[in-house]
Amino acid sequence: MSLFFTYLLAGLAIAMPVGAMTVEMTKQGLKKGFLHGWAVGLGGMTVDFFLIISLYLGLASILSTPYIQIPMWLIGACFLAFLGYDSIKNSDQGITLTGDKPNQSFFSSYRNGLLVAISPGNLVFWISVFGAVLSDSYDTTQPVKFLIVGAGILAGILVHDIGLLLIVTITRKMMNQTMIKCVSIIAGFILIGFAGYFLYEFMITIKGIL
């Protein structure tokens, strides 16, 4: 249990920095409510789960090579730039205030989380993060230890997501449609900023192999 709670705190620390997933969760939580924001987080956690499994199976080593990372960083930058543009363009659409019924299904929000999480640049970023955290626990003679560590990390991410969305839900009750629209626009620009970061990593990776 001590190992589980240690890596639960590690998972919480991993999830704390603001990333593309956090931005999308916050935006959907403000526009459509707690469940839709959480659906985005669950979509991201689904990808996190398979990333942890892939690390255990050794598949992540393929994605860690520069020649694989270069196109992934570039595609990821384009994907997040498009997502940011769409967030700004449709900032006034799909907003439901407290008490209103969302016009979007739970599954569609979950799908949004999956799409953000499987952005190629995002995969490269998270593989490097998970790789650093899980490397010490990888032991082929003790597979249960690795599974406990992985479960702890996922639990930490879940705690972060629920805590974040509780704050968003409380804040949402004090916001009107115009304020939520402004947050959606800001979220769009932040996503474009992450696209710029991925583009920077793309150029750094190219420079490193030339």
Side-chain angles (χ1 to χ4, degrees):
M1 290 302 294
S2 61
L3 183 66
F4 175 82
F5 282 110
T6 297
Y7 280 89
L8 184 150
L9 293 176
L12 187 59
I14 289 173
M16 279 292 186
V18 176
M21 182 60 64
T22 302
V23 173
E24 185 66 19
M25 283 175 57
T26 303
K27 185 186 76 175
Q28 294 295 338
L30 283 175
K31 293 183 75 172
K32 301 179 180 68
F34 178 90
L35 285 179
H36 285 266
W38 193 37
V40 174
L42 288 177
M45 285 187 63
T46 301
V47 176
D48 293 341
F49 171 77
F50 284 108
L51 281 180
I52 290 173
I53 296 300
S54 72
L55 280 168
Y56 182 74
L57 296 175
L59 298 178
S61 60
I62 299 174
L63 299 178
S64 65
T65 59
Y67 290 103
I68 298 296
Q69 287 185 359
I70 287 174
M72 292 184 73
W73 281 122
L74 182 59
I75 295 171
C78 294
F79 180 84
L80 289 180
F82 171 78
L83 201 64
Y85 168 76
D86 185 69
S87 180
I88 295 170
K89 180 182 177 182
N90 299 315
S91 59
D92 59 344
Q93 298 182 15
I95 298 176
T96 55
L97 300 178
T98 303
D100 296 337
K101 184 178 180 180
N103 56 6
Q104 186 178 5
S105 69
F106 182 88
F107 176 76
S108 62
S109 296
Y110 174 80
R111 182 191 59 203
N112 284 353
L114 282 176
L115 291 175
V116 173
I118 62 174
S119 162
N122 196 58
L123 287 177
V124 171
F125 174 77
W126 278 106
I127 283 173
S128 64
V129 171
F130 281 135
V133 173
L134 294 171
S135 59
D136 291 337
S137 63
Y138 182 78
D139 186 349
T140 54
T141 63
Q142 293 182 306
V144 176
K145 178 183 177 182
F146 185 89
L147 295 176
I148 292 173
V149 169
I153 291 174
L154 289 175
I157 295 173
L158 179 61
V159 169
H160 165 269
D161 290 354
I162 292 176
L164 171 68
L165 288 166
L166 285 175
I167 295 172
V168 169
T169 301
I170 295 171
T171 305
R172 181 174 183 255
K173 295 178 180 179
M174 300 179 287
M175 299 179 72
N176 57 31
Q177 189 164 346
T178 301
M179 295 170 69
I180 295 176
K181 176 183 175 181
C182 290
V183 171
S184 184
I185 292 173
I186 293 171
F189 281 113
I190 293 175
L191 288 170
I192 292 173
F194 279 108
Y197 167 73
F198 283 4
L199 187 60
Y200 169 77
E201 290 291 342
F202 165 74
M203 293 186 291
I204 290 296
T205 307
I206 286 182
K207 185 177 179 180
I209 63 174
L210 293 179

